[in-house]
C-alpha cells in the first residue's frame, strides 16, 4: 500500500509520522513526503472511491469560496484489493475552543457566498460593457451537486433540482426511508412517512431559499481548530438550504453558544426555523439508523411524529 502511495504521489520519501486518526467510517495516517506532511485516509469498502471522490469535490468547492479553512485535497487512489485511499494536506488540529465564534462567522460566509455571487453578477450585468458572460464567477441557481457525495458511507442523490422542497423530500428523505423499508420493513416508519411527506411543503410558506454551498455533515467530530483559526473537514457537500447545516450540529453537541450567536448575526433565523430544524434532523436520524442500526429508530420515529402534531 505504501509503495503504491509513494508511486502515485511521486515522492522519494514516505515515512509514517506516527500521527494517526479515524472515525466511524475510515482510518487515517500522516506521512512525511518530499513536499511536506500529508494525511491519508483509507477505506476498504467497495464504494470507497465514490465516497472519497465526493469528499475531494466537496473540499475543492469549499476551498474556492475562500471562506473557511479545509484541508487541501491531493489525490484519490484505488487500492489493488478493493477500496481506496485519499491523500490531502496535513493540518495540525485540536478540538474547537477559542475559535468557536469565528467558525460561526465563517460558516455563515460560506452559506452566503453563492447568494453574494449572484448579486455581484447581477450588478455586473447592469454595468455598461460588462455582459453576463464576461464574469469568471459562477452562480448556482439550483439545488444539488455535480457529483455524488456520501454522508457517512451512503452515497447521496445530488441530482440538480430547482425546487428545494422537492429536492429534500425526494432526494434526501425518500431514499433513507426506502433503505429502512428494504432492511427492516418497519411499518411505523412507513406510516409516519406517508403522513409527513405531504405535510413538508407547509414548513416552507413565505420563505425564499437561495442555494447555499453546504459542508453537509457538520457535527462536532468534523470541526476543529489550528493556530490560524477554525477548520472543517470530512464534508459531504451539496447546494441546499443553509438551515440544513445546523441540524446535525445541534444533535451531538460540540458547538457553543458563541458559534450560533456569530452565525445568526449574519444569517438571522427566519420564521419557522425551529420546526424546519427538526425536519432536517429527521434526515440525520434516519441516516444514522441506516448506518448504525436500530438504536436510532426511536429518535427517527419521534422526530417524524413531532412534526405531525
Amino acid at each position: 500500500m505504501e509503495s503504491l502511495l509513494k508511486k502515485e504521489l511521486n515522492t522519494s520519501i514516505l515515512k509514517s509520522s506516527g500521527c494517526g486518526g479515524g472515525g466511524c467510517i475510515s482510518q487515517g495516517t500522516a506521512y512525511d513526503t518530499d513536499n511536506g506532511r500529508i494525511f491519508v485516509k483509507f477505506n476498504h469498502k467497495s464504494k470507497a472511491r465514490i465516497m472519497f471522490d465526493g469528499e475531494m469535490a466537496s473540499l475543492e468547492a469549499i476551498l474556492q469560496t475562500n471562506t473557511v479553512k479545509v484541508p487541501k485535497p491531493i489525490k484519490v487512489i484505488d487500492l489493488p484489493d478493493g477500496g481506496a485511499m485519499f491523500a490531502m494536506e496535513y493540518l495540525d488540529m485540536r478540538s474547537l475552543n477559542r475559535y468557536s465564534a469565528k467558525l460561526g462567522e465563517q460558516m455563515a460566509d460560506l452559506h452566503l457566498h453563492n447568494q453574494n455571487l449572484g448579486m455581484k453578477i447581477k450588478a455586473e450585468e447592469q454595468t455598461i460593457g460588462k455582459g453576463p458572460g464576461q464574469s469568471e464567477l459562477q452562480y448556482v441557481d439550483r439545488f444539488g451537486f455535480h457529483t455524488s457525495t456520501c454522508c457517512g458511507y451512503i452515497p447521496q442523490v445530488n441530482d440538480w433540482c430547482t425546487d428545494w422542497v422537492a429536492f429534500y423530500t425526494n432526494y434526501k428523505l425518500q431514499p433513507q426511508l426506502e433503505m429502512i423499508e428494504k432492511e427492516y420493513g418497519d411499518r411505523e416508519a412507513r406510516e409516519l412517512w406517508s403522513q409527513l411527506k405531504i405535510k413538508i411543503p407547509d414548513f416552507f410558506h413565505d420563505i425564499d431559499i437561495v442555494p447555499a454551498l453546504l459542508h453537509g455533515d457538520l457535527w462536532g467530530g468534523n470541526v476543529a481548530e489550528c493556530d490560524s483559526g477554525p477548520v472543517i473537514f470530512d464534508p459531504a457537500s451539496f447546494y441546499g438550504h443553509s438551515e440544513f447545516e445546523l441540524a446535525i450540529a445541534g444533535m451531538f453537541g460540540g458547538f457553543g453558544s458563541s458559534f450560533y450567536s456569530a452565525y445568526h448575526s449574519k444569517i438571522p433565523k427566519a420564521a419557522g426555523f425551529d420546526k424546519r430544524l427538526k425536519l432536517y434532523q429527521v434526515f440525520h436520524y434516519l441516516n444514522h439508523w441506516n448506518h448504525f442500526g436500530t438504536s436510532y429508530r426511536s429518535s427517527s420515529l419521534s422526530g417524524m411524529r413531532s412534526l405531525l402534531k
Side-chain angles (χ1 to χ4, degrees):
M1 191 184 302
E2 292 190 355
S3 59
L4 174 63
L5 189 58
K6 201 171 181 179
K7 179 186 174 186
E8 290 287 338
L9 297 179
N10 193 26
T11 177
S12 60
I13 299 169
L14 188 74
K15 182 181 178 183
S16 175
S17 72
C19 301
C24 308
I25 309 299
S26 302
Q27 294 300 309
T29 304
Y31 293 96
D32 290 319
T33 73
D34 294 352
N35 297 310
R37 186 167 291 182
I38 63 169
F39 186 72
V40 183
K41 293 169 68 170
F42 304 89
N43 191 287
H44 295 279
K45 286 185 178 289
S46 60
K47 294 182 178 178
R49 176 85 200 203
I50 295 171
M51 179 174 66
F52 287 150
D53 280 344
E55 184 178 344
M56 182 163 181
S58 299
L59 290 172
E60 288 171 341
I62 295 170
L63 265 173
Q64 287 171 5
T65 69
N66 198 30
T67 53
V68 58
K69 191 176 185 67
V70 294
K72 293 183 179 71
I74 300 171
K75 194 173 189 179
V76 177
I77 303 160
D78 289 318
L79 292 171
D81 298 324
M85 52 186 169
F86 178 24
M88 67 190 78
E89 174 188 19
Y90 174 85
L91 295 175
D92 187 11
M93 302 185 298
R94 54 184 177 270
S95 297
L96 184 67
N97 182 15
R98 60 183 289 209
Y99 289 117
S100 181
K102 189 70 174 174
L103 179 61
E105 291 176 17
Q106 291 182 348
M107 289 309 301
D109 290 340
L110 173 65
H111 294 164
L112 291 169
H113 184 267
N114 188 54
Q115 178 178 308
N116 291 339
L117 208 53
M119 293 167 64
K120 182 177 180 181
I121 292 171
K122 193 172 183 179
E124 286 177 353
E125 289 173 356
Q126 295 169 352
T127 303
I128 296 172
K130 184 74 172 179
Q134 292 176 260
S135 175
E136 295 178 1
L137 305 169
Q138 291 187 331
Y139 170 69
V140 176
D141 61 356
R142 295 173 294 168
F143 303 98
F145 203 54
H146 62 276
T147 190
S148 181
T149 53
C150 296
C151 193
Y153 59 75
I154 297 174
Q156 303 296 305
V157 180
N158 286 332
D159 295 352
W160 293 108
C161 182
T162 56
D163 184 296
W164 168 249
V165 174
F167 178 89
Y168 185 64
T169 304
N170 299 329
Y171 297 162
K172 285 291 177 185
L173 292 177
Q174 184 72 42
Q176 295 289 338
L177 269 301
E178 287 173 356
M179 282 183 271
I180 285 164
E181 176 65 25
K182 184 178 179 181
E183 183 69 24
Y184 303 102
D186 194 291
R187 192 176 84 177
E188 190 172 0
R190 191 186 319 128
E191 291 174 351
L192 285 169
W193 175 234
S194 69
Q195 297 172 63
L196 178 59
K197 65 182 174 183
I198 59 176
K199 193 180 177 183
I200 289 175
D202 295 344
F203 303 125
F204 294 90
H205 290 316
D206 303 319
I207 180 170
D208 181 34
I209 301 172
V210 178
L213 180 62
L214 307 179
H215 173 283
D217 191 15
L218 195 78
W219 71 290
N222 287 344
V223 303
E225 66 183 36
C226 56
D227 289 341
S228 61
V231 183
I232 60 174
F233 48 93
D234 290 357
S237 291
F238 64 99
Y239 283 87
H241 187 193
S242 58
E243 292 177 357
F244 176 87
E245 195 88 280
L246 301 182
I248 196 170
M251 285 166 57
F252 302 112
F255 297 85
S257 59
S258 62
F259 168 85
Y260 293 104
S261 296
Y263 181 89
H264 288 302
S265 70
K266 292 195 168 191
I267 304 178
K269 292 181 183 181
F273 172 88
D274 293 333
K275 202 82 170 177
R276 287 189 299 276
L277 200 67
K278 288 182 180 179
L279 177 65
Y280 294 146
Q281 287 177 341
V282 166
F283 163 80
H284 290 290
Y285 283 127
L286 292 170
N287 191 45
H288 277 68
W289 185 354
N290 281 313
H291 275 87
F292 307 116
T294 53
S295 59
Y296 285 95
R297 177 181 184 270
S298 177
S299 301
S300 300
L301 299 186
S302 63
M304 286 195 282
R305 218 177 283 119
S306 70
L307 291 163
L308 294 170
K309 292 177 181 176

